[in-house]
Amino acid sequence: MRTRVPIALAVTTATLLTACGGGSDDASGSQSPPAATVEDAAAAVAQGLSTGSLQNVPLRSGDPNADLPVLLRGMNGLLPKVTVQDIRRAGNTATVDFDYSWPLSADWAYESKATLVDDKGTWQLIWEPSVLHPKLTTGNRLERNRTTTERGTITGRGATVLVQSTPLQMLGLNKAAVPNTGDQQSSARTIADQLNLDPAAYQQKVAAAGPNAFVDAAPVRTEEIPANYSRTKGAESRTVNLPAAKSAGYAKALLGTVGYATEQEVANSGGTIYPGDVVGQSGLQKTFDQQLRGRGGNKVYLVPRDAAPGTAQSGSDNLVADFPDAPGQTLQTTIDDDVQTRVEDAVSKAKQPVSIAVVRLGSGPGGGAVLAAGDSPPARAKDDSTTGRLAPGLGASPVAALALIRSGVKLSDKVTCERSVNVGGRTIDNPKGFSYNGNSMTLEQALARGCRTAVAQAASKLRPSELEGAAKSLGLARQADLGTPVNLGGFPAPSGDLAAAEALIGQGGEGAVQASPLALAVMAASVQAGRTVNPSVVPDRTAGADGVPPLTDGEAKSLQAMMKQSTGSYGQLKEAVTGEADGRQILVGYSDAFAVAIVVSDADQSSAPSLSTLARQVTSSSSSSSSSSRSSGSGSSSSSGSSGSSGSRSSR
């Protein structure tokens, strides 16, 4: 336990320290209390050296506050970690041994010594440059030379290289060419819109950059530069070599992006990032940036204090540290290049926001692996396939079905699919042109075929607390750190019949049920597997299932049977459900190989791709790859209930 210095002694010591030039003042102008023991004093010195300032350390002699900035100038912001190794006391003097560790391409470790003197209960430091390094004197300083290294690659299943160095055009805004702040913001928005970036985020980046900065927007291949790009005031490009995927937007929601380090990133890096370094900006590239970036080679020299930075002359007599570069390491992922390529082909030309996620099937190891996630250009800015917060409609009918089952409702109950119903004072309609209006069917069939009115009328039988539990049992409504941002949805307990009806049919306003396409694909995989599937993008980094109510065999069979009651043809998806919400059409199902979720926004536009076309494109090769894409598990499901009437559905 630390002993506090008595107030009277602190005042006396403060006066003494002021005369000696040590100590520091706080915001109110009072002196920092000195360390009471030699151990505290030594620890304070180690802490100060680790931060590059000894302002709070009482001094016996020397001026580290003038020395340290000069001694460290050539280290380019890099600071050591300093710890106390040993203290040897003799009377009122103590010798302290410090351990140093500098984060170069490998740890640069050495020892140094310092002398502390006890002056009337206050331990004071005798400062000498050798405290920082044994070979430092009053005439020299440290100088670090650094070489860059290659960034690690990202691979998918089968060690397929997904990202590698590629010649690109970095598009961005040259602020020097647009002096007016308003014009800069206008140009920034235009550039962001052309590149499908978040306009507000890019405008903020432009505003924060220096007055003559070239503000990176996005790297693209030459053939991908938008038409009329150069007509925007200040819009320019420069040739760069950067890690890039095989095509524009390829798996961006998972892989993320890279770019050149900003001034802020350099300043906050503690000397590990230099201007011009390539750093991860989003997704896996950002989360695993340190692993992928590696460390450049480092040499540290002793140079004259008055030598200009960067002028160190190599030679064995002044070289104190020499570490080769440590190249970035490969990051292995679950992404399947074949599946991801089919997804990209499906979404790349869509003029509407279209998002698709694909998850590997199986109840054993590997089940839940994310094989692909892709967005059309309009959906790419916010990575809707993995982080979207979208109303799922009856695309989330398995959650509704499970919540009703746990509320004591039988899916075999007969219902009528009305054109519209009133629940809690609100009229709920079926989609325009819905072919089952007026039909009698089971609740199971209503859930599978997207009859909103029949499902909504079951709201009075729902126990609100069962909704979130059902979602969790199917892999949703959880926090997950997969190494790239994901949203596994939210299914809060509804309050009242109207909120319950909206929750069951996957609609509603603020605070209502929502999910990303990835979350819905995880849900479908959980139904097929008969257990909660935990998604993963990087092996051994999965969403946890603690506290998740498990699916029973009976529940799993009921959900699998419900999925079989859907009608329509969607490529090689064996079971699928569809829904509509907020102008979107949603398809969720599974084939022999994987679970798929597809969301098409602005689906009423004539140019919008149909769900069936997209499903065929994504699943076109699933049969040939199913044996390698699926681990052992329950691939079949038992059927119950009548087959119901066939016919077209309103979903595309």
Side-chain angles (χ1 to χ4, degrees):
M1 178 178 177
R2 287 190 173 187
T3 27
R4 295 289 182 187
V5 179
I7 295 177
L9 178 57
V11 173
T12 304
T13 306
T15 305
L16 174 62
L17 292 179
T18 301
C20 295
S24 67
D25 296 336
D26 60 23
S28 64
S30 61
Q31 197 75 20
S32 301
T37 68
V38 67
E39 289 80 11
D40 287 344
V45 174
Q47 175 64 23
L49 291 167
S50 297
T51 59
S53 172
L54 292 173
Q55 289 281 354
N56 292 329
V57 173
L59 298 174
R60 184 72 171 183
S61 62
D63 190 0
N65 300 317
D67 266 359
L68 278 174
V70 176
L71 296 173
L72 293 169
R73 181 178 60 184
M75 296 302 289
N76 306 107
L78 196 68
L79 290 170
K81 178 181 180 182
V82 185
T83 56
V84 177
Q85 181 197 86
D86 188 31
I87 301 174
R88 298 181 300 282
R89 183 172 177 178
N92 69 337
T93 301
T95 299
V96 182
D97 294 334
F98 293 110
D99 281 333
Y100 277 75
S101 176
W102 295 78
L104 303 181
S105 45
D107 284 339
W108 177 30
Y110 60 83
E111 299 176 8
S112 77
K113 300 181 186 298
T115 300
L116 299 176
V117 177
D118 183 4
D119 187 343
K120 300 179 182 179
T122 299
W123 287 94
Q124 300 174 336
L125 171 67
I126 296 177
W127 166 254
E128 296 174 318
S130 60
V131 174
L132 182 63
H133 187 278
K135 292 187 177 182
L136 283 171
T137 68
T138 57
N140 61 12
R141 63 175 177 82
L142 298 174
E143 177 81 12
R144 171 188 171 208
N145 284 356
R146 177 179 179 268
T147 58
T148 58
T149 189
E150 288 195 12
R151 190 172 180 87
T153 60
I154 299 180
T155 61
R157 294 184 68 240
T160 302
V161 175
L162 305 178
V163 176
Q164 58 188 348
S165 182
T166 306
L168 301 171
Q169 294 297 312
M170 176 63 76
L171 307 186
L173 177 67
N174 180 6
K175 292 183 68 173
V178 192
N180 181 273
T181 302
D183 290 342
Q184 290 173 1
Q185 290 295 293
S186 176
S187 291
R189 170 168 284 277
T190 301
I191 291 171
D193 287 340
Q194 287 180 312
L195 298 175
N196 294 301
L197 303 176
D198 183 337
Y202 186 59
Q203 286 177 314
Q204 185 178 9
K205 184 177 180 180
V206 167
N212 297 315
F214 177 87
V215 187
D216 297 344
V220 301
R221 291 165 174 80
T222 301
E223 64 272 18
E224 296 164 350
I225 297 176
N228 301 324
Y229 169 76
S230 60
R231 294 186 181 180
T232 301
K233 186 182 292 186
E236 296 183 7
S237 65
R238 54 178 176 166
T239 302
V240 296
N241 279 287
L242 286 174
K246 60 194 292 185
S247 62
Y250 178 97
K252 172 183 170 290
L254 301 173
L255 297 173
T257 58
V258 298
Y260 292 106
T262 64
E263 294 177 3
Q264 194 67 34
E265 286 170 328
V266 172
N268 294 340
S269 72
T272 60
I273 297 176
Y274 270 44
D277 278 0
V278 174
V279 297
Q281 296 179 328
S282 64
L284 296 174
Q285 290 279 14
K286 182 176 182 178
T287 301
F288 296 94
D289 181 61
Q290 187 171 347
Q291 171 183 333
L292 291 164
R293 179 163 36 90
R295 293 180 178 179
N298 287 267
K299 292 185 178 182
V300 181
Y301 298 91
L302 297 174
V303 300
R305 287 202 181 192
D306 58 359
T311 58
Q313 297 295 319
S314 59
S316 59
D317 55 336
N318 63 345
L319 180 66
V320 292
D322 186 359
F323 293 95
D325 67 337
Q329 300 174 32
T330 297
L331 177 65
Q332 181 184 353
T333 73
T334 63
I335 299 169
D336 186 306
D337 179 55
D338 178 54
V339 179
Q340 183 69 49
T341 298
R342 295 202 302 273
V343 168
E344 297 297 338
D345 289 343
V347 303
S348 62
K349 295 182 180 179
K351 297 178 181 179
Q352 297 75 20
V354 177
S355 299
I356 301 175
V358 184
V359 172
R360 182 179 176 182
L361 294 181
S363 58
V370 179
L371 301 180
D375 299 284
S376 65
R380 201 172 286 159
K382 295 185 178 179
D383 299 329
D384 281 347
S385 59
T386 55
T387 63
R389 302 174 63 87
L390 314 174
L394 279 171
S397 58
V399 174
L402 182 58
L404 289 170
I405 290 170
R406 290 178 175 176
S407 298
V409 178
K410 294 182 179 180
L411 300 190
S412 58
D413 288 349
K414 287 289 186 178
V415 295
T416 300
C417 189
E418 305 287 356
R419 184 179 300 274
S420 64
V421 295
N422 186 289
V423 179
R426 177 193 159 187
T427 298
I428 294 177
D429 298 307
N430 277 324
K432 183 179 179 181
F434 191 64
S435 61
Y436 293 108
N437 285 334
N439 287 12
S440 175
M441 59 182 66
T442 64
L443 181 57
E444 175 187 70
Q445 292 167 335
L447 286 159
R449 298 172 185 178
C451 181
R452 295 197 291 237
T453 57
V455 175
Q457 290 184 87
S460 61
K461 302 175 183 179
L462 174 70
R463 289 200 296 264
S465 60
E466 298 292 357
L467 187 70
E468 185 175 36
K472 288 183 175 181
S473 295
L474 294 175
L476 309 180
R478 295 180 289 162
Q479 297 297 316
D481 179 9
L482 304 187
T484 191
V486 297
N487 169 40
L488 292 184
F491 288 76
S495 176
D497 284 353
L498 175 57
E502 291 176 333
L504 288 175
I505 64 174
Q507 296 187 354
E510 188 78 19
V513 298
Q514 51 80 20
S516 66
L518 175 61
L520 296 175
V522 170
M523 175 197 70
S526 296
V527 171
Q528 188 275 343
R531 65 163 182 86
T532 305
V533 163
N534 297 312
S536 64
V537 180
V538 176
D540 302 323
R541 188 165 181 158
T542 63
D546 294 341
V548 174
L551 273 176
T552 67
D553 289 343
E555 290 170 343
K557 289 179 179 178
S558 293
L559 296 180
Q560 292 164 355
M562 185 270 290
M563 294 281 286
K564 283 184 174 292
Q565 294 302 312
S566 63
T567 59
S569 175
Y570 299 99
Q572 296 184 27
L573 296 183
K574 297 176 62 177
E575 281 83 37
V577 294
T578 60
E580 288 192 9
D582 300 336
R584 301 185 186 93
Q585 293 185 346
I586 302 101
L587 171 67
V588 183
Y590 49 84
S591 67
D592 284 334
F594 42 66
V596 180
I598 301 173
V599 177
V600 179
S601 298
D602 301 330
D604 57 343
Q605 295 181 3
S606 60
S607 61
S610 70
L611 292 174
S612 58
T613 297
L614 294 169
R616 283 196 301 271
Q617 288 178 285
V618 173
T619 64
S620 60
S621 299
S622 63
S623 290
S624 60
S625 61
S626 64
S627 60
S628 61
S629 295
R630 184 181 63 181
S631 59
S632 60
S634 55
S636 60
S637 56
S638 60
S639 176
S640 64
S642 61
S643 61
S645 59
S646 62
S648 62
R649 283 177 285 180
S650 65
S651 297
R652 291 173 172 266

